Amino acid sequence: MPKKIIRVNMNKLEANYEDLPEKYQALGGRGLTSTIVADEVPPTCHPLGPNNKIVLAPGIVTGTNAPSSGRISVGGKSPLTGGIKEANAGTDFGQKLGRLRIGAIIIEGQSEGKDYYLLKITNDGAELKNANKWVGKGLYEVYKDLRKEFGEKISICGVGIAAELRGGNSGLSFNDPEGLPSRYAGRGGLGAVMASRGLKFIIVDDTGAPGVEIKNAELFKTGIAKLVKALGDHDVTKPGGALNTYGTAVLINIINESGGLPQRNFSRGQDDRSSKVSGEEKAEEIKKRGGARPHACHPGCVIQCSEVWTKPGGKDPVGVLEYESVWALGPNCEIYDLDTIGELNRAINDLGMDTIETGDTIAVAMEGGLIEFGDGKGAIKLLEEIRKKTPTGRILVNGTEFTGKAFGVTRIPTVKGQSMPAYDPRAIKGIGVTYATSPMGADHTAGYAIATEIMGVGGTADRLDPKKAELSRNLQVATAVVDSTGYCLFIAFAILDIVEGLQGVVDSVNGVLGANLTLDDIPTIGMQVIETEMKFNKAAGFTSLDDRLPEFMKEEKFPPDNEVFNVSDEELDSVFKF
Amino acid sequence: MPIQVKLYGDLRKIAQQHNYSKGAPNIFNINDIGIKSVRDILKKIGIEESETSHIFVNRAYSGFRKKVKDGDRVAIFPRNMALLYKWYFKKVEDHDE
């Protein structure tokens, strides 16, 4: 039985099943969302107009018992960047779609009037219901309500108040195992694209689902055994390893020591106060408060980098405080207090936004004089402006670049309209090349996580060496492959060093698809995904001049290294030449 | 000016055992003319090389033979905080004399 596409026509308020076309059958995750968006969405359309679409796709192995493979990709044309967007999240939502043999959900058209809808998917079919009663409410409360109404077993995808405002900073929220709206396909404003179709929520119940079809069960089983072993053996991914013990925020102290942790809206790269919000401090506090750490964002994750942060006494659970979120809302705003960061993160999840974009927006608003740097209470009030849908809130909800312009700021850390994550490109040049050239805008995950070794590139990578085109290209290409499999990007830590683990990934994908891919096919597959995305962006009006970092990064020295971003335009343009 | 040493994660406990801790539990200064390299610092405070992962000397990702001098800032992370890719931050290394 081939996989299906659920095509939701919001004009007619109909959800119909189609067979997944043959040309899409070997695709999943980002490979599938980007291909469908490129095939069906006119690149010049208005992102919030009638011709854009939202595409959701689980990865190839998502829904099986392959370890750490619960990723869901979301695609569309981004209102933040104006280009193609793929954002992904770890949640059991994608696993349930996989088990229901749904290759993709395509949401198209726009409902008439101001009503919002909920799409309910079960093994018996899909239907739309009115969702007006949850409009204007915070997602923590709504997710509780939805579970009460539709049962504890459902998984939820939702967009919040930020998306109701059509904000360029509005994500798609997914539930964690506790039902908290804390797992985000956050970047690029796809929440507004979903809301502008008239859709607020998708809920899925996989009771009675047939499960993922595995064409070669023996090969699949061998593959996941190899991967499980690699993840369990490797220092970074094993139980008691860095991610399991401290979560992604283990990086706070490390990147601060390297001089690349941006402070005060990207004005310097090191501050000893950063230790107050480190992964070590956070892990200790969670233990004291009775939160959860380590914690899996979806069943079957063996890395378990996630957590549940709470207020003292275990109150008001937030979900995970990621490295990027802690940095964006913390050091980048000169806020060195985990409780304030936790409160901000909870408000952001509640409103349905991206933590990176929001933290960068607040820092730029501080730079513009709206509030002072370090003013945590003021930052919380700014988020309330969004909740109240005030004019100030409507500026902030549109992200860092929009807010910077509104308040006359020139130090705006964005590429293609999307704000930078927690590594300054003047101190770490390779990540700057990825920020500049990724079709996604400034995105650390786009080229962060696969070894040079497997791509056959020499390993010299001094962080200040401006020759980074080849490194970034190979990382971006390999990442596009991982993002299509459904595996979490963090498996890369293990499969870089343990080649049997990488072979295990390929075996498991071959097992599901009944294919004969080899390690040598990885670059070609990844390149196809990126080529598809770049072709879309070119048709949307992007040129090589959009593959640049903001001017201030070439002009302002970044202490303590006192470096500028000195990667040449020629080097940047050599990353992708198709 | 002494060498400033910063120990992270579980390595703090070792510093406390050796009474180097002053102020914040993970930061202390070493004044010792016998210390010439990262390796010497580890020996002095009783940390095995195999217990460490990332080491930064003045923000440069460094190896055990990296020379150190007065005024340097040396940050040492334990093995269970290993995260950076070996290829991404090339280690600055000096040769044994």
Side-chain angles (χ1 to χ4, degrees):
Chain A
M1 187 176 80
K3 285 198 270 192
K4 301 283 183 186
I5 287 177
I6 302 179
R7 191 177 290 276
V8 183
N9 183 322
M10 292 302 297
N11 294 102
K12 295 182 183 164
L13 297 176
E14 279 177 9
N16 294 305
Y17 285 69
E18 302 168 359
D19 285 346
L20 188 72
E22 177 132 14
K23 62 175 180 170
Y24 293 161
Q25 281 177 13
L27 301 176
R30 175 177 170 185
L32 187 52
T33 62
S34 286
T35 305
I36 293 175
V37 171
D39 285 349
E40 298 196 8
V41 174
T44 51
C45 74
H46 193 294
L48 304 178
N51 295 314
N52 199 4
K53 302 186 183 189
I54 279 281
V55 183
L56 295 94
I60 294 166
V61 301
T62 305
T64 69
N65 61 347
S68 305
S69 63
R71 303 298 293 189
I72 176 101
S73 288
V74 187
K77 178 171 172 171
S78 163
L80 192 72
T81 69
I84 197 166
K85 172 59 64 179
E86 185 267 353
N88 61 70
T91 166
D92 60 11
F93 185 94
Q95 293 175 302
K96 288 180 186 170
L97 290 185
R99 287 196 284 268
L100 287 164
R101 300 196 176 178
I102 294 163
I105 304 171
I106 303 173
I107 318 287
E108 59 192 20
Q110 291 178 309
S111 60
E112 275 180 41
K114 293 194 170 176
D115 288 341
Y116 279 105
Y117 293 88
L118 172 150
L119 175 68
K120 184 184 171 195
I121 301 169
T122 66
N123 198 34
D124 299 325
E127 56 175 332
L128 287 159
K129 292 170 175 287
N130 188 290
N132 286 347
K133 63 177 167 180
W134 293 298
V135 175
K137 291 188 173 164
L139 291 176
Y140 282 90
E141 180 193 339
V142 173
Y143 275 39
K144 266 189 203 165
D145 274 6
L146 289 171
R147 282 157 65 100
K148 216 177 274 172
E149 186 159 334
F150 296 100
E152 297 285 311
K153 282 171 74 181
I154 58 163
S155 293
I156 308 168
C157 163
V159 299
I161 291 169
E164 291 168 19
L165 289 169
R166 306 292 187 262
N169 175 9
S170 58
L172 275 78
S173 153
F174 295 89
N175 60 279
D176 74 2
E178 281 69 31
L180 301 169
S182 63
R183 311 299 318 182
Y184 264 82
R187 307 230 68 192
L190 292 178
V193 182
M194 185 156 130
S196 64
R197 310 301 95 198
L199 191 66
K200 266 292 263 182
F201 303 102
I202 305 172
I203 60 169
V204 53
D205 184 337
D206 68 343
T207 306
V212 176
E213 185 184 14
I214 299 174
K215 298 221 166 105
N216 184 340
E218 202 50 45
L219 182 61
F220 175 76
K221 206 174 144 190
T222 319
I224 62 170
K226 286 178 193 166
L227 179 58
V228 167
K229 185 167 184 331
L231 293 172
D233 284 349
H234 197 273
D235 270 352
V236 175
T237 51
K238 70 183 182 187
L243 289 171
N244 184 260
T245 308
Y246 297 116
T248 53
V250 68
L251 277 166
I252 290 278
N253 278 331
I254 297 171
I255 302 301
N256 190 52
E257 285 299 339
S258 80
L261 187 71
Q263 315 277 333
R264 199 182 169 93
N265 189 28
F266 289 80
S267 60
R268 60 180 194 284
Q270 193 170 60
D271 191 312
D272 284 347
R273 290 175 291 176
S274 306
S275 282
K276 292 183 188 168
V277 298
S278 67
E280 299 100 293
E281 292 297 329
K282 182 153 60 69
E284 261 176 50
E285 275 302 317
I286 290 173
K287 211 171 162 187
K288 275 187 220 160
R289 295 174 183 203
R293 149 108 270 134
H295 172 264
C297 71
H298 64 275
C301 180
V302 299
I303 302 172
Q304 302 194 1
C305 69
S306 184
E307 67 198 10
V308 180
W309 172 263
T310 66
K311 280 188 177 167
K315 284 183 195 149
D316 292 343
V318 178
V320 63
L321 303 187
E322 300 283 8
Y323 163 66
E324 302 292 335
S325 312
V326 170
W327 158 79
L329 304 164
N332 196 42
C333 295
E334 288 196 325
I335 292 171
Y336 301 99
D337 173 59
L338 281 172
D339 276 309
T340 306
I341 292 167
E343 205 173 326
L344 287 166
N345 202 136
R346 195 172 203 276
I348 291 164
N349 288 349
D350 204 41
L351 293 164
M353 300 194 292
D354 172 35
T355 50
I356 298 173
E357 193 66 44
T358 310
D360 278 28
T361 298
I362 294 171
V364 162
M366 287 170 164
E367 179 102 33
L370 198 56
I371 55 173
E372 295 292 316
F373 277 102
D375 180 1
K377 286 197 175 115
I380 290 163
K381 276 190 194 150
L382 291 187
L383 298 181
E384 286 309 304
E385 299 283 332
I386 297 172
R387 194 182 299 275
K388 289 184 220 151
K389 303 187 177 179
T390 66
T392 304
R394 285 171 182 273
I395 291 172
L396 297 168
V397 81
N398 274 297
T400 307
E401 190 154 301
F402 195 94
T403 300
K405 282 180 184 168
F407 292 98
V409 176
T410 52
R411 191 191 285 132
I412 304 176
T414 56
V415 180
K416 300 183 179 73
Q418 180 168 290
S419 65
M420 288 180 193
Y423 314 83
D424 195 288
R426 289 163 290 186
I428 309 174
K429 315 280 187 197
I431 209 84
V433 175
T434 295
Y435 291 168
T437 60
S438 164
M440 299 297 149
D443 179 346
H444 60 300
T445 64
Y448 184 76
I450 300 286
T452 51
E453 286 90 341
I454 57 166
M455 310 302 292
V457 179
T460 58
D462 181 328
R463 68 182 169 86
L464 299 176
D465 179 356
K467 287 281 178 199
K468 290 288 167 53
E470 197 176 7
L471 173 67
S472 176
R473 173 172 54 247
N474 288 307
L475 288 169
Q476 291 192 55
V477 166
T479 302
V481 177
V482 177
D483 284 346
S484 302
T485 61
Y487 283 113
C488 171
L489 203 49
F490 290 166
I491 67 160
F493 289 103
I495 62 176
L496 296 182
D497 288 338
I498 304 172
V499 73
E500 292 79 17
L502 178 59
Q503 186 60 51
V505 169
V506 175
D507 290 349
S508 66
V509 169
N510 281 335
V512 169
L513 296 175
N516 297 300
L517 300 168
T518 67
L519 294 180
D520 294 339
D521 294 320
I522 291 175
T524 316
I525 296 167
M527 203 63 110
Q528 279 167 355
V529 175
I530 292 182
E531 239 175 291
T532 300
E533 293 167 349
M534 293 195 66
K535 211 172 139 195
F536 183 99
N537 280 0
K538 195 174 172 191
F542 284 83
T543 70
S544 59
L545 297 179
D546 295 294
D547 293 341
R548 300 289 183 263
L549 296 191
E551 186 185 39
F552 82 90
M553 291 195 161
K554 296 174 212 164
E555 303 282 336
E556 281 182 27
K557 288 184 178 174
F558 188 64
D561 283 330
N562 293 318
E563 283 270 322
V564 295
F565 188 72
N566 58 351
V567 177
S568 68
D569 291 349
E570 293 71 33
E571 180 80 3
L572 293 175
D573 292 341
S574 73
V575 174
F576 294 118
K577 278 187 183 162
F578 295 125
Chain B
M1 204 168 27
I3 297 167
Q4 185 189 53
V5 178
K6 302 190 78 174
L7 297 179
Y8 286 102
D10 295 339
L11 295 180
R12 294 174 186 197
K13 289 177 200 155
I14 296 174
Q16 283 159 351
Q17 281 161 16
H18 286 73
N19 284 326
Y20 284 110
S21 170
K22 278 174 195 158
N26 65 327
I27 305 172
F28 57 92
N29 294 325
I30 287 188
N31 254 320
D32 188 330
I33 49 162
I35 288 182
K36 306 260 188 246
S37 68
V38 169
R39 179 166 280 161
D40 295 337
I41 294 174
L42 293 177
K43 265 187 201 156
K44 170 115 183 158
I45 56 181
I47 294 175
E48 298 288 331
E49 289 176 8
S50 62
E51 291 173 329
T52 69
S53 54
H54 318 299
I55 295 170
F56 295 90
V57 177
N58 300 330
R59 304 179 303 285
Y61 191 51
S62 299
F64 300 123
R65 295 192 301 271
K66 175 78 179 77
K67 286 177 182 158
V68 293
K69 57 182 189 314
D70 283 357
D72 280 353
R73 169 183 174 129
V74 180
I76 307 170
F77 290 85
R79 188 161 173 199
N80 76 349
M81 289 180 76
L83 200 70
L84 294 179
Y85 301 106
K86 60 188 179 211
W87 49 266
Y88 196 75
F89 287 75
K90 189 184 173 191
K91 284 180 184 174
V92 174
E93 198 55 294
D94 291 311
H95 294 291
D96 289 325
E97 284 170 12

